[in-house]
Amino acid sequence: MKMLTSNKCLLAAIVLVLSISTVSLAAGSIVFGDFSWDSVQVHNRIAGFILEHGCGYDVTHKFGESIPLLLGLRRGDVDATMEIWVDNIYDAVVDALREGEIIAIGCNYPDAPQGWYVPTYVIKGDAKRGIKPMAPDLRSVFDLPKYAELFPDPQARGKGVFYNAPTGWVAHDINNAKLAAYGLDKDFNSFDTGSDAGLSSVIIRHYQRGEPVLVYNWEPNWVMGLLDMTRLEEPPYDEARWQEDFGTAYPAVTVQVLVNRDFPSREPEAASLLANYSTKLEHTNAFLAYMQANDASVDETARWFLKEHPEVWTRWIIDRDVIAKVAAALEE
């Protein structure tokens, strides 16, 4: 995923606090906006499964990229989407909120991080794999100079390599600026991994071999769910310093649930559920890891989550009949 471009808060968000008390006798249809990354599609199907099997809604999913789907959400061609990284398309989202065309109905999960990671065995070792600690004192980005030789750049003798986001991602340029701001450009070169898949393959390849690797990454994604990785400490986020040279930690982002402005009045029961929908970062990491490890579809992954975590989704629903119907559908 292309990561944050801003740390601005979503000041115009309207949060509805509703609860499901009865099931509509004339449940309608709901169109979820499926963006191009896996996690939003799974979250859409988790909510969709409950609304379809528990409340009787006709649920469909419309695929598209961020801006076209946001336009659909503004027009009402799309009713809802369960995972919007507002900072990635901040101006477009805030413009739609100010115009009153969409509503930020709730928060899916808070404080999604990104930064520079190493496999945890680099610091702590892994007795089961016979790996001894390689950099036991590595805690912060400022500890990296003394460990540059641990992450050797095959193209530059004596320097380390930092595996960056692909060129074209905002994070790629931010990370290069961080290298300079932290004085690490003297000891490390930045390597463009080419794509999301290329970045993930670098991590997996080194991890499987038990080798040290220094990479940019973010959460949630399947790599973070599948592997034990440690994010290196940076100076706490400071907006003034960020605007100056990015010499601070990335700002965390709150991931929002957005709906068309007419949706809550048209489908109040569904809006109630979506307003209550709330997960943790580790839930998304876990289901993305399951999806990758089992080559599962987004629908299969949603069912897996609902079966594995009833303690999560049953909190979103007051009506026990709805819960019973969803539980029964999961057994089919």
Side-chain angles (χ1 to χ4, degrees), residues 194-327:
S195 67
D196 184 356
L199 180 58
S200 295
S201 68
V202 165
I203 300 171
I204 293 295
R205 182 172 68 251
H206 284 80
Y207 201 97
Q208 289 176 339
R209 296 172 179 172
E211 297 173 342
V213 63
L214 173 65
V215 297
Y216 162 78
N217 224 262
W218 67 92
E219 299 179 64
N221 70 44
W222 68 267
V223 172
M224 294 296 110
L226 195 61
L227 308 180
D228 187 2
M229 303 287 289
T230 293
R231 181 160 52 96
L232 298 181
E233 296 173 2
E234 298 179 65
Y237 174 74
D238 176 82
E239 185 172 3
R241 181 66 188 272
W242 181 265
Q243 296 298 330
E244 178 184 346
D245 63 2
F246 300 104
T248 157
Y250 279 91
V253 60
T254 296
V255 179
Q256 300 281 350
V257 177
L258 298 185
V259 299
N260 175 265
R261 63 181 176 188
D262 297 326
F263 182 70
S265 59
R266 177 170 62 85
E267 302 295 352
E269 290 79 22
S272 300
L273 176 81
L274 302 193
N276 290 336
Y277 191 106
S278 177
T279 65
K280 295 181 179 179
L281 187 66
E282 53 263 34
H283 293 139
T284 300
N285 274 336
F287 73 56
L288 290 175
Y290 170 85
M291 186 174 178
Q292 176 71 21
N294 294 277
D295 195 24
S297 69
V298 289
D299 292 286
E300 291 167 340
T301 303
R303 290 181 68 100
W304 174 85
F305 175 84
L306 289 165
K307 287 182 176 181
E308 289 290 314
H309 294 287
E311 79 286 355
V312 176
W313 63 265
T314 54
R315 292 201 306 265
W316 309 332
I317 306 167
I318 297 249
D319 193 322
R320 310 319 290 178
D321 288 339
V322 172
I323 293 174
K325 289 178 181 178
V326 173

Side-chain angles (χ1 to χ4, degrees), residues 43-63:
H43 280 296
N44 283 344
R45 280 155 183 78
I46 291 170
F49 190 97
I50 296 172
L51 290 170
E52 180 178 352
H53 296 281
C55 305
Y57 284 93
D58 179 21
V59 175
T60 57
H61 302 272
K62 189 170 187 176
F63 179 81

Side-chain angles (χ1 to χ4, degrees), residues 64-295:
E65 293 297 340
S66 297
I67 297 302
L69 276 186
L70 182 60
L71 291 174
L73 198 63
R74 297 178 75 158
R75 292 192 303 260
D77 302 331
V78 175
D79 295 310
T81 189
M82 302 305 297
E83 184 185 305
I84 283 284
W85 294 63
V86 175
D87 293 83
N88 289 4
I89 49 174
Y90 183 84
D91 291 338
V93 172
V94 169
D95 180 61
L97 285 164
R98 286 173 178 161
E99 293 294 324
E101 296 172 332
I102 63 173
I103 297 171
I105 202 170
C107 170
N108 187 331
Y109 51 88
D111 300 334
Q114 58 186 315
W116 297 5
Y117 291 78
V118 298
T120 300
Y121 59 70
V122 169
I123 301 169
K124 299 181 179 180
D126 186 341
K128 292 182 179 178
R129 299 177 65 189
I131 300 174
K132 295 181 179 180
M134 307 169 194
D137 299 324
L138 179 58
R139 298 289 183 274
S140 160
V141 294
F142 297 113
D143 297 324
L144 285 169
K146 63 183 177 181
Y147 291 115
E149 293 184 358
L150 187 62
F151 309 97
D153 184 344
Q155 306 299 322
R157 187 177 179 86
K159 296 193 74 172
V161 62
F162 165 70
Y163 289 98
N164 202 346
T167 301
W169 289 20
V170 173
H172 176 275
D173 296 337
I174 290 176
N175 287 329
N176 283 338
K178 283 175 173 285
L179 281 168
Y182 296 149
L184 296 173
D185 52 344
K186 305 180 188 69
D187 301 291
F188 285 84
N189 290 327
S190 172
F191 183 86
D192 173 14
T193 50
S195 67
D196 184 356
L199 180 58
S200 295
S201 68
V202 165
I203 300 171
I204 293 295
R205 182 172 68 251
H206 284 80
Y207 201 97
Q208 289 176 339
R209 296 172 179 172
E211 297 173 342
V213 63
L214 173 65
V215 297
Y216 162 78
N217 224 262
W218 67 92
E219 299 179 64
N221 70 44
W222 68 267
V223 172
M224 294 296 110
L226 195 61
L227 308 180
D228 187 2
M229 303 287 289
T230 293
R231 181 160 52 96
L232 298 181
E233 296 173 2
E234 298 179 65
Y237 174 74
D238 176 82
E239 185 172 3
R241 181 66 188 272
W242 181 265
Q243 296 298 330
E244 178 184 346
D245 63 2
F246 300 104
T248 157
Y250 279 91
V253 60
T254 296
V255 179
Q256 300 281 350
V257 177
L258 298 185
V259 299
N260 175 265
R261 63 181 176 188
D262 297 326
F263 182 70
S265 59
R266 177 170 62 85
E267 302 295 352
E269 290 79 22
S272 300
L273 176 81
L274 302 193
N276 290 336
Y277 191 106
S278 177
T279 65
K280 295 181 179 179
L281 187 66
E282 53 263 34
H283 293 139
T284 300
N285 274 336
F287 73 56
L288 290 175
Y290 170 85
M291 186 174 178
Q292 176 71 21
N294 294 277
D295 195 24

